[in-house]
């Protein structure tokens, strides 16, 4: 069935992940028209693209590879937002092992290679020292290294705002950090490079703050 892609505000890549519907509904609550698809032409022509994900990096990358979407995503020029595991897949590689492809079986998992940072497990020793459980699950605060120059994704989001996390792996602080959080250690709550952005937290589960972030994304050209 053909669709007029110009009618849609955002395309969510159908990765087969369980949180597709919750992300879609969060955008629809903002009045956005959303298409969920793995159709290459629709993704390439979309105004904005969301890469969602839950589960392991290996399984998610295997799904993108099976759907022949890796090179397509790497070449996108419109605003692209990775959510949770979708953010991690934008990086060079993940230390999360046990995937289903040669690159991800008992080896570091090769990711999309778009944002030059790597994913590793949260520091277990630091968590133990502060009596914090793994995974990091629940509400935690965002901070910005330069609050006077926040990325457009975080327009109207005050430092200290709470968002909802569920994860065991993280991106370290780097030149590509857009927002950060602390859980035993400081880590990147959001990363970005050029038209690609990713958030480690779940904006679709983060109440008004999450809605503000998704609304900011919908304004990007």
């Amino acid at each position: 069935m053909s669709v007029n892609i110009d009618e849609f505000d955002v395309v969510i890549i159908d990765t087969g992940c369980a949180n597709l519907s919750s992300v879609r509904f969060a955008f629809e609550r903002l009045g956005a028209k959303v298409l969920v698809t793995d159709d290459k032409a629709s993704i390439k022509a979309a105004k904005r693209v969301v890469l969602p994900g839950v589960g392991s990096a290996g399984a998610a990358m295997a799904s993108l590879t099976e759907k022949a979407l890796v090179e397509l995503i790497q070449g996108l020029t419109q605003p692209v937002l990775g959510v949770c595991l979708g953010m991690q897949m934008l990086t060079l590689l993940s230390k999360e092992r046990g995937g289903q492809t040669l690159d991800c079986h008992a080896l570091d998992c090769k990711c999309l290679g778009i944002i030059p940072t790597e994913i590793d497990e949260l520091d277990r020793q630091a968590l133990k020292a502060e009596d914090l459980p793994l995974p990091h699950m629940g509400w935690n605060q965002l901070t910005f290294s330069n609050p006077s120059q926040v990325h457009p994704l975080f327009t109207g989001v005050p430092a200290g705002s709470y968002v909802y996390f569920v994860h065991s792996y993280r991106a370290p602080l780097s030149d590509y950090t857009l927002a950060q959080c602390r859980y035993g250690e400081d880590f990147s709550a959001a990363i970005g490079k050029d038209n690609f952005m990713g958030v480690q937290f779940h904006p679709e589960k983060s109440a008004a703050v999450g809605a503000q972030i998704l609304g900011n994304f919908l304004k990007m050209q």
Side-chain angles (χ1 to χ4, degrees):
M1 182 180 67
S2 63
V3 298
N4 181 2
I5 196 65
D6 291 335
E7 294 179 0
F8 295 93
D9 300 296
V10 62
V11 166
I12 298 176
I13 297 177
D14 185 358
T15 57
C17 295
N19 69 332
L20 286 172
S21 294
S22 59
V23 174
R24 186 186 91 199
F25 295 152
F27 278 111
E28 289 179 342
R29 286 194 295 270
L30 296 172
K33 191 166 183 181
V34 181
L35 176 66
V36 178
T37 184
D38 58 7
D39 176 70
K40 298 181 188 63
S42 296
I43 296 169
K44 188 173 182 179
K47 296 174 184 174
R48 302 164 196 88
V49 174
V50 172
L51 178 63
V54 294
S56 71
M61 286 304 301
S63 177
L64 292 183
T65 300
E66 181 181 356
K67 293 172 181 281
L69 293 175
V70 171
E71 289 187 7
L72 179 96
I73 294 170
Q74 291 169 335
L76 294 176
T77 57
Q78 64 271 66
V80 179
L81 177 65
V83 176
C84 196
L85 180 62
M87 181 207 86
Q88 297 183 5
M89 288 192 290
L90 295 175
T91 71
L92 297 174
L93 61 85
S94 172
K95 299 287 187 180
E96 186 177 14
R97 300 181 177 183
Q100 319 219 347
T101 68
L102 181 62
D103 283 335
C104 297
H105 184 64
L107 298 169
D108 296 341
C109 179
K110 183 179 178 182
C111 296
L112 291 166
I114 295 168
I115 301 177
T117 187
E118 300 179 1
I119 303 299
D120 203 347
E121 192 174 41
L122 285 161
D123 188 333
R124 286 180 178 265
Q125 291 189 345
L127 297 179
K128 185 176 180 180
E130 297 185 25
D131 197 25
L132 296 171
L134 192 70
H136 174 208
M137 182 180 298
W139 297 87
N140 208 337
Q141 290 179 287
L142 297 176
T143 58
F144 306 102
S145 58
N146 187 350
S148 65
Q149 292 184 343
V150 298
H151 189 274
L153 190 64
F154 294 98
T155 298
V157 177
S161 294
Y162 281 86
V163 291
Y164 191 82
F165 291 87
V166 183
H167 66 115
S168 297
Y169 287 76
R170 55 82 179 125
L173 298 183
S174 72
D175 290 342
Y176 303 95
T177 299
L178 305 182
Q180 62 194 64
C181 183
R182 182 167 184 82
Y183 189 74
E185 61 177 312
D186 293 322
F187 66 90
S188 291
I191 57 177
K193 181 177 183 288
D194 302 327
N195 57 303
F196 291 90
M197 300 148 275
V199 294
Q200 181 60 69
F201 54 91
H202 288 272
E204 77 279 10
K205 297 180 180 179
S206 297
V209 173
Q212 177 69 40
I213 292 167
L214 295 182
N216 290 338
F217 180 68
L218 288 171
K219 295 175 183 176
M220 294 182 181
Q221 303 286 330

